[in-house]
Amino acid sequence: MKRLCALFIGIILLTNIRIPMKVYAEPENNPLEITSDAAVLMEGSTGQIIYDKNKDEKLRPASVTKVMTLLLIFEAIDSGKIKLTDQVTISEHAASMGGSQVYLEPFETQDVNTLIKCISIASANDASVAMAEMLAGSEESFVAVMNERAKELGMLNTNFVNACGLDVDNHYTTAYDIALMSRELITKHPQISQYSTVWMDTFVHTTRKGQTEFGLTNTNKLIKQYNGITGLKTGSTGLAKYCLSATAKRNDMDMIAVILAAPSTKVRFSEAAKLLDYGFANCSIFKDKNEDLVVNPIPVKQGIADSVGYRAKDEFSYVCLKGTNPADIKKEITLAENIVAPITENFKVGEVTYTLNGKKIGTVDIVAAETVEKAKFKDYFNFAFKKFLL
């Protein structure tokens, strides 16, 4: 039996595959009444769902689409592909978008920083398409990247057709999928809040006709009303009705409230605030950095070193609802008995499993702390020679 268990652990470690899980905080007797067609409340650092209504229903997202557009922009900045100071020339296609816009003109140039402001504050369709063309060469190519990134994030019920959210056939997503991309944006690129929380700003159009100042006003009314607000994006069209991804941070928790197809703009803001209030009032966060992890090196076979150290790959976080005692959270450490070289740094060698009242609530990988190369003939010769000298 022991050999069978070791074999099973070995198979898991060799495949090194992790399957993403949807984690629910499972509130009891939830008092929330949401009239919008779909809604989700998620805690960002953990990805836990605290509340949902029709979370997987495919609906039109309107300009909430721009969360993905902004995510790809910030990823391009972080990778060094573009800089905030880079100049973007506005195409005739981008200038023709209509809807919410800042009236960019064909052949006008603006820097990336200004276009991010226009997208985040004023929900500018023309600025969104201009950035899409700058990053991918065409809006169509950019949309392909949007859909690929959506798949990587686990957005299984999403299909984008444009970069700005104008109503077109087959352009849809869900409240849950919006929460996923919002989480990726605010946790990996928190600088977005420097744009999405600005209430009013201006920028200058510079064209052949001269220079004119244009005012920007944020479409997210919660910016002026909600304590701890960090963003994020509104959206509305005749077919999508009124949509919102609202994010706020308090007490080390990033709450993400998604509202789709609200009957009015007043309802989308009031119901998003209701979701955020519920999250902050009823939740606290448990964190474990695994600083108590005792490192007894794992034996390595056929390596240039005979053992390898290890560490926890990530910090563990879990949202506790009222009535949950963090002291009831238990953890169990599982380690491979031995490993065969070669081993690369960060190769999975074990796992910390967390349970609450006997129910599994999450895991953290334990990974190799260094690389151990496979021993070659000369290494075995050196080992034998050193033993002979001893």
Side-chain angles (χ1 to χ4, degrees), residues 204-233:
V204 176
H205 283 294
T206 301
T207 67
R208 294 175 182 176
K209 299 176 184 178
Q211 292 188 333
T212 56
E213 189 174 71
F214 189 87
L216 305 173
T217 302
N218 206 308
T219 54
N220 184 0
K221 306 306 179 186
L222 293 182
I223 297 301
K224 295 185 70 175
Q225 302 169 1
Y226 198 84
N227 177 29
I229 197 77
T230 56
L232 184 61
K233 193 70 203 72

Side-chain angles (χ1 to χ4, degrees), residues 183-199:
R183 178 194 183 201
E184 187 74 4
L185 180 57
I186 66 169
T187 58
K188 300 289 180 63
H189 312 280
Q191 65 268 37
I192 181 60
S193 67
Q194 297 172 14
Y195 297 90
S196 59
T197 58
V198 173
W199 178 242

Side-chain angles (χ1 to χ4, degrees), residues 315-349:
E315 178 182 276
F316 177 75
S317 298
Y318 182 75
V319 173
C320 299
L321 290 171
K322 271 187 177 178
T324 299
N325 184 357
D328 292 334
I329 296 176
K330 309 298 181 184
K331 68 178 182 179
E332 181 180 355
I333 297 170
T334 304
L335 289 170
E337 294 183 1
N338 55 67
I339 314 171
V340 178
I343 303 161
T344 57
E345 184 179 359
N346 292 324
F347 178 80
K348 183 178 175 181
V349 297

Side-chain angles (χ1 to χ4, degrees), residues 370-381:
E370 60 266 338
T371 295
V372 178
E373 301 289 348
K374 186 177 181 67
K376 299 178 182 178
F377 176 78
K378 66 177 182 179
D379 297 311
Y380 289 113
F381 178 81

Side-chain angles (χ1 to χ4, degrees), residues 245-273:
S245 178
T247 59
K249 187 178 184 71
R250 294 186 207 162
N251 304 321
D252 276 343
M253 291 185 292
D254 283 300
M255 289 293 172
I256 302 165
V258 179
I259 295 291
L260 288 181
S264 69
T265 186
K266 182 178 180 180
V267 168
R268 72 172 165 185
F269 291 126
S270 65
E271 293 194 339

